[in-house]
Amino acid sequence: MTIEITQGDTLVIAGLDDSGTLAGITVTSAVALGAFYQALLVTEIDMSLGQYEISATPAQTANWPTGLLQSDLKYVSNGVEVHSDTYEIKVKERVTK
């Protein structure tokens, strides 16, 4: 899966984990490209249904490098860490400022 945004855009990704409830599980996410790394905000919508939202503000994405950033989710429960498949966020250069 590849998501496209332009530098300075608001990033909002609605997530639904179809494996069931995420109650009691901590979910985190980040984007990375080379030495660039930034945590993303993961907001719980309804963890009993596996619903969450991943986001970044325009101020954050304005400083993202252009190109294909890598991202995934990390789930932690009782000290056990599991990662999702990696997906890409294609960041295009902003023209109008």
Side-chain angles (χ1 to χ4, degrees):
M1 169 174 81
T2 301
I3 297 165
E4 274 192 37
I5 68 166
T6 300
Q7 291 171 320
D9 283 356
T10 299
L11 174 72
V12 178
I13 303 168
L16 176 62
D17 189 303
D18 58 6
S19 64
T21 182
L22 294 175
I25 297 174
T26 301
V27 182
T28 56
S29 185
V31 291
L33 177 64
F36 174 79
Y37 179 91
Q38 184 171 56
L40 299 174
L41 177 63
V42 178
T43 304
E44 299 177 358
I45 303 298
D46 188 338
M47 296 308 259
S48 67
L49 297 176
Q51 295 176 329
Y52 55 87
E53 184 178 271
I54 303 165
S55 62
T57 66
Q60 291 171 317
T61 67
N63 297 311
W64 287 7
T66 58
L68 289 176
L69 279 63
Q70 303 292 306
S71 186
D72 66 5
L73 297 161
K74 180 172 79 172
Y75 303 90
V76 179
S77 178
N78 298 318
V80 177
E81 292 186 14
V82 177
H83 289 82
S84 70
D85 290 337
T86 301
Y87 62 93
E88 295 178 329
I89 299 175
K90 181 179 180 181
V91 180
K92 299 176 288 183
E93 185 174 0
R94 174 175 55 183
V95 176
T96 305
K97 298 183 184 206

